[in-house]
Amino acid sequence: MKKSVRGRTLRHLALVCTLAIAATAHGQSREFDVAAGDLKAALDAYIAQAGVQLLYKVDDIKGLSTKGLKGKLSPEDALARLLDGTRLKVRRDESGAIVLYSTPPDEPKPRADVSTLDTVMVSASRRREPVREVPLKVDVLQTEALERGGARELGDYVAGQPGVTLTHGGAFAGALSIRGLATASVGAASVGVYVDDVATGSSAPYGLGAVTPLDMGLLDLHHIEILRGPQGTLYGAGAMGGLIKYVTNEPDTGEFSGSARLALSSTQYGGMGHTVNGVVNVPIKQDMAAVRVAAYSTRFGGYDDTIGVAAEKNVNRGTTTGARISALLTPSRNLSMRLTLTSQEAKRVGHDYEDLNLVTGQPVLGERLRRLGAREPSSVRTDLLGMDIEYNMGWARLNAITSVQDVKLHGQQDASSLLLPVLVGAGVPATSVWADSRGEQHRVSQEFRLTSSASRDLEWLAGLYINRERSSIDGGFGYATASGPGTLNLYQTSKPATYRDLALYGDVTWHATPALALTGGVRVGRMEQRFTNTSAGLLAGGTSTNGGESEETATTWLATAGYKLDPLSSAYLRVASGYRPGGPNGLLPTTSPSVKPMFKSDSLWSYEAGYKATLLDRRLMVEAAVYDIEWSDIQQTMKDGVFGFFTNAGKARIRGAELGLIWLPSAGWRLDGSLSLIDAKLRTDAQGLGGRAGDKLPNTARVSASVSATRDFELAGRPAYLGLNARHVGERNAGFPGSTLARDYLLPSYSVYGLQAGIDFERFKLSAYVRNLSNSRGLAAVAVDSAIAGKAVVVEPRTLGVAVNVPF
């Protein structure tokens, strides 16, 4: 047995060792011409052309590819370019030979640092490439770091990302914005949300897409990518502000593994919360098939109370449960199939609001307290099926991606203050009134994408996207009396809609020189919609039906120029456009001629310049960007009598700058910092919003920032860490000054601090955190009801949590 093992080792070394005579020539410039493609073949060519001795393990380079190289370079620079985008490292052994390795043989696996972060692979451009090479601002949120800070939902994930905002209250009432596109809560979403390569939510204006981004729990996620700026060319409608992509872990065909995690939390003024999750990876056949199963359950303890008819403690408590099954099958080296089914349900007892006096800026009834006439439960269930079939033809890779999504929504909102006086005045003995809404989103999409193999000269991508959506929003008003539920039909409405999208897209990247890459891209989409609105009841004045149809073609463009200043730094210029689809207005016979049968897509152009670099012997990573966004035909609502319709009016300009830093001042220390500066204003009057030229766009902080410091050390011989973080959000406007349609209130700035600590006992890990250490009363959002009254969402109060992770 030992002889056999020794023989295999010698054969492996014989396969990968090539001796060279001209070792003295190492370091001198040489002419290289190494073709792109398989890394093994490229290294063989490099050895012959460089005249060096190179050692590596076959398993370390199996399946890796390179873009190749051509030109006069030193052997060191040439090798660095061939290995660019891989995790391989280079060292010299005692004989002087160059050794490639993936992990040092006599060192523990290093913790995440700059040297590993600048080679993090992302799929932002629909190719897997290092984040430092992508010519746009991409933030990568690692799951481990999110868990350390106690993150449990989308609001937690984006909280530490300056320039990214999620204003919400309840299970699905959320408006997600990036870089100040915050009036886009009307109509379709401005930020796309993907799970791997599968689109989620609704792209249509009538499917509640703007307020229902997928709020995915940390269910076996590898990382989260946040793409800033318009992504319309590759991702289509609804991604004009950017994109959030949940990247899940793939099944591993190599070994059985898994983990379990239990976390407990306690929030000041509120109740206890917990998270339980587990993951099991089961290989079925080596290098061919595996299944991965994950499940979790999270309970939110809540911390807001209500008084009045619907009095309740910790009213914003709730649960989120979910599961995912993922299967991977690779019947041949060039063919792989992955099927993933995700199911998640979130329920909340009520919203996280407090009554706010807008004149004094103080709570009306007390902190985190609200008067409520009717309960406000909400829920959202999401079932998502995705299948990705990939076939590598050598010269190109073909992906066929199929997805099916079903979402069921339910929400209830207290309407007592609005309608109770009307009903009582009409002789109806009502004690409370509420609005009840139920929604459904059904989406089936098919995408075919052809991606060229890596090349040092020309790379391209082409795709066909077919999307079919069906949505329905049904609702009305209900009321209660002292003797039970009321029987009168106050108001009922049903709004079914369909949306179809057919798009062709593609881009081409030309590597004009080893340092300069130019990319051009285009997407042409054809959209068809149908919408019907049927209303009935006393408040509707009887039964009426209206609707409409629309057809529209939209084209988006992309042009980038990326220049490598050296192997570890680059600069880029990016020009891109984006849009949200328009749609039909449901006109009535009495509708004014000023209301058009269809409202158009709103669109924007973004101009961006960026710089990415790893400096100071890989101890400092810098990422900076400046941008100018020109937004036209802003979608907004307009009133015609008591009915509301969509229209296009107004322009806006958003200028900003972003800076991200990672610094390793010494062994064990890591400092992270991020800064966003945004100047977002209307350029013309926006009558549907009540805004005037020069007004700031709402819910957009001019200055926001985050910073963290982490110390890795040993405690009783065990790896441990201690971290401190802080984030700051500047002043924001809730609406527009003087507007009665989008009433304004100036939200003051606030800062939030946190602590994390943990220790690794090898067989299990213990961690603890404190969120909002100083118990800040920052206002995250304000919904303005009148000139003096509003509802405020206050940041989560001080929360303490502990967790234990057990890998196996």
Side-chain angles (χ1 to χ4, degrees):
M1 178 66 72
K2 292 183 178 179
K3 184 176 181 180
S4 176
V5 172
R6 187 181 300 118
R8 286 199 302 270
T9 303
L10 291 174
R11 285 196 296 271
H12 281 163
L13 289 175
L15 285 173
V16 301
C17 298
T18 300
L19 299 178
I21 301 174
T24 55
H26 184 72
Q28 299 177 0
S29 295
R30 290 173 174 266
E31 284 290 341
F32 286 93
D33 188 357
V34 180
D38 181 66
L39 182 59
K40 171 66 169 62
L43 290 176
D44 290 343
Y46 166 79
I47 291 169
Q49 296 175 30
V52 297
Q53 183 181 358
L54 188 64
L55 305 176
Y56 57 86
K57 292 181 180 179
V58 172
D59 289 343
D60 284 347
I61 66 170
K62 183 180 179 181
L64 299 181
S65 62
T66 179
K67 293 183 178 180
L69 59 92
K70 187 175 184 179
K72 194 170 185 179
L73 299 165
S74 69
E76 297 94 330
D77 290 342
L79 182 58
R81 293 193 182 185
L82 288 178
L83 301 180
D84 202 11
T86 73
R87 292 184 179 273
L88 294 174
K89 298 182 179 181
V90 179
R91 65 178 175 86
R92 288 266 184 183
D93 71 359
E94 296 178 354
S95 68
I98 301 173
V99 179
L100 305 185
Y101 65 97
S102 57
T103 304
D106 15 346
E107 295 178 19
K109 186 176 180 180
R111 294 185 177 91
D113 56 20
V114 170
S115 64
T116 57
L117 280 177
D118 64 5
T119 57
V120 170
M121 305 297 285
V122 297
S123 54
S125 59
R126 294 297 181 96
R127 295 177 180 271
R128 288 186 57 80
E129 56 186 337
V131 64
R132 59 181 166 81
E133 287 192 3
V134 182
L136 61 95
K137 184 74 166 59
V138 182
D139 299 310
V140 180
L141 314 182
Q142 299 292 348
T143 300
E144 182 180 2
L146 293 172
E147 287 182 338
R148 283 184 175 187
R152 297 170 297 182
E153 55 185 343
L154 182 58
D156 300 329
Y157 311 155
V158 303
Q161 302 301 307
V164 183
T165 303
L166 178 68
T167 55
H168 71 99
F172 65 89
L176 186 62
S177 67
I178 297 177
R179 288 183 172 176
L181 295 171
T183 64
S185 59
V186 176
S190 69
V191 178
V193 179
Y194 271 63
V195 177
D196 297 321
D197 272 340
V198 173
T200 70
S202 174
S203 301
Y206 290 109
L208 292 181
V211 292
T212 57
L214 177 60
D215 192 351
M216 177 78 77
L218 286 178
L219 178 59
D220 195 26
L221 297 181
H222 185 272
H223 66 269
I224 300 173
E225 299 174 13
I226 300 179
L227 285 59
R228 298 175 183 247
Q231 309 298 323
T233 305
L234 292 180
Y235 294 97
M240 71 177 188
L243 190 88
I244 291 181
K245 178 178 285 191
Y246 298 105
V247 181
T248 65
N249 288 310
E250 288 191 0
D252 182 0
T253 63
E255 63 177 355
F256 177 87
S257 63
S259 65
R261 183 173 187 266
L262 172 64
L264 302 174
S265 64
S266 176
T267 302
Q268 190 160 344
Y269 319 117
M272 293 288 295
H274 69 257
T275 296
V276 180
N277 62 40
V279 181
V280 177
N281 183 88
V282 181
I284 299 175
K285 188 173 182 180
Q286 179 77 27
D287 297 328
M288 182 171 290
V291 174
R292 193 174 182 93
V293 181
Y296 85 109
S297 176
T298 295
R299 182 185 187 276
F300 299 85
Y303 45 81
D304 286 338
D305 301 334
T306 59
I307 63 173
V309 177
E312 197 158 3
K313 294 285 291 183
N314 303 329
V315 70
N316 57 330
R317 68 186 185 276
T319 60
T320 300
T321 57
R324 177 182 298 115
I325 301 175
S326 185
L328 177 66
L329 177 64
T330 55
S332 68
R333 179 179 178 182
N334 297 322
L335 177 64
S336 67
M337 294 175 282
R338 185 184 178 193
L339 180 68
T340 303
L341 173 62
T342 302
S343 182
Q344 177 177 286
E345 184 171 26
K347 295 181 179 180
R348 299 292 183 271
V349 174
H351 300 320
D352 42 359
Y353 290 135
E354 73 172 22
D355 287 334
L356 185 68
N357 185 317
L358 302 185
V359 177
T360 64
Q362 298 299 314
V364 175
L365 304 169
E367 289 189 16
R368 309 177 191 281
L369 195 60
R370 182 181 174 211
R371 185 177 300 279
L372 205 60
R375 297 180 71 250
E376 297 184 322
S378 58
S379 66
V380 54
R381 175 173 182 131
T382 302
D383 295 308
L384 183 64
L385 174 67
M387 182 172 65
D388 186 353
I389 301 176
E390 179 175 298
Y391 182 67
N392 192 336
M393 298 176 287
W395 57 275
R397 185 178 71 252
L398 175 64
N399 287 84
I401 303 166
T402 306
S403 70
V404 180
Q405 173 195 262
D406 278 294
V407 179
K408 295 185 182 299
L409 309 152
H410 175 239
Q412 194 167 294
Q413 185 171 353
D414 180 28
S416 300
S417 61
L418 177 66
L419 293 178
L420 195 57
V422 177
L423 294 182
V424 173
V428 179
T431 56
S432 62
V433 189
W434 61 88
D436 188 88
S437 299
R438 295 184 181 274
E440 292 186 359
Q441 299 172 353
H442 177 73
R443 177 175 189 151
V444 178
S445 66
Q446 179 68 61
E447 182 173 6
F448 299 96
R449 186 170 69 244
L450 199 60
T451 308
S452 69
S453 60
S455 171
R456 67 171 182 264
D457 296 321
L458 200 67
E459 295 176 321
W460 52 266
L461 178 151
L464 169 67
Y465 181 71
I466 305 168
N467 183 38
R468 299 289 185 269
E469 296 182 25
R470 183 178 70 248
S471 65
S472 178
I473 308 300
D474 303 321
F477 290 108
Y479 70 97
T481 67
S483 58
T487 57
L488 294 175
N489 181 9
L490 299 180
Y491 180 79
Q492 292 293 324
T493 182
S494 177
K495 300 178 180 180
T498 60
Y499 172 84
R500 296 183 177 183
D501 183 8
L502 176 65
L504 290 170
Y505 66 90
D507 64 39
V508 177
T509 299
W510 174 42
H511 298 278
T513 71
L516 178 63
L518 305 175
T519 299
V522 64
R523 185 186 188 104
V524 179
R526 178 70 174 173
M527 296 161 288
E528 299 177 1
Q529 294 186 67
R530 179 177 297 174
F531 165 73
T532 303
N533 181 7
T534 300
S535 301
L538 297 177
L539 297 178
T543 301
S544 63
T545 300
N546 60 310
E549 298 181 2
S550 68
E551 295 182 356
E552 189 177 18
T553 300
T555 304
T556 54
W557 303 90
L558 171 70
T560 67
Y563 188 80
K564 288 187 177 180
L565 303 171
D566 56 54
L568 295 177
S569 64
S570 63
Y572 68 87
L573 297 174
R574 186 174 191 267
V575 180
S577 64
Y579 71 98
R580 291 185 301 165
N585 272 316
L587 303 184
L588 295 165
T590 57
T591 301
S592 168
S594 62
V595 181
K596 298 180 180 180
M598 174 185 169
F599 60 99
K600 303 183 300 180
S601 298
D602 56 354
S603 60
L604 57 80
W605 280 93
S606 173
Y607 308 89
E608 181 178 344
Y611 171 71
K612 301 182 179 185
T614 303
L615 309 170
L616 303 180
D617 193 26
R618 293 182 176 265
R619 291 187 176 275
L620 176 65
M621 184 176 177
V622 179
E623 189 171 5
V626 294
Y627 57 87
D628 186 335
I629 298 174
E630 305 291 336
W631 188 7
S632 302
D633 296 321
I634 299 175
Q635 290 180 7
Q636 53 198 273
T637 57
M638 64 179 297
K639 284 288 187 180
D640 184 65
V642 296
F643 298 97
F645 301 93
F646 284 110
T647 188
N648 300 92
K651 298 181 179 181
R653 184 178 190 183
I654 305 171
R655 292 177 291 186
E658 295 163 339
L659 175 65
L661 299 172
I662 302 174
W663 180 34
L664 303 177
S666 62
W669 276 101
R670 170 173 166 149
L671 304 177
D672 293 69
S674 187
L675 172 68
S676 172
L677 305 175
I678 300 178
D679 180 24
K681 295 179 180 178
L682 289 174
R683 294 184 60 190
T684 61
D685 292 349
Q687 295 181 357
L689 300 171
R692 298 184 178 277
D695 286 350
K696 296 179 180 179
L697 296 186
N699 297 313
T700 301
R702 187 178 181 89
V703 179
S704 55
S706 65
V707 64
S708 66
T710 303
R711 169 66 172 169
D712 291 323
F713 57 95
E714 285 195 355
L715 182 63
R718 301 291 184 180
Y721 68 88
L722 179 65
L724 171 68
N725 64 76
R727 60 185 176 93
H728 173 80
V729 179
E731 291 183 342
R732 294 135 291 140
N733 292 80
F736 296 99
S739 173
T740 58
L741 301 170
R743 295 180 183 272
D744 191 30
Y745 177 75
L746 183 63
L747 283 74
S749 61
Y750 66 90
S751 298
V752 177
Y753 307 92
L755 285 172
Q756 301 93 37
I759 184 169
D760 187 349
F761 288 96
E762 191 173 347
R763 300 191 65 171
F764 65 93
K765 299 178 182 179
L766 287 178
S767 60
Y769 64 86
V770 182
R771 296 156 60 95
N772 197 357
L773 182 64
S774 61
N775 207 28
S776 168
R777 227 192 77 80
L779 300 185
V782 170
V784 181
D785 297 325
S786 67
I788 61 173
K791 298 186 292 291
V793 177
V794 183
V795 297
E796 182 184 45
R798 183 186 297 116
T799 298
L800 287 74
V802 294
V804 56
N805 288 59
V806 183
F808 56 86

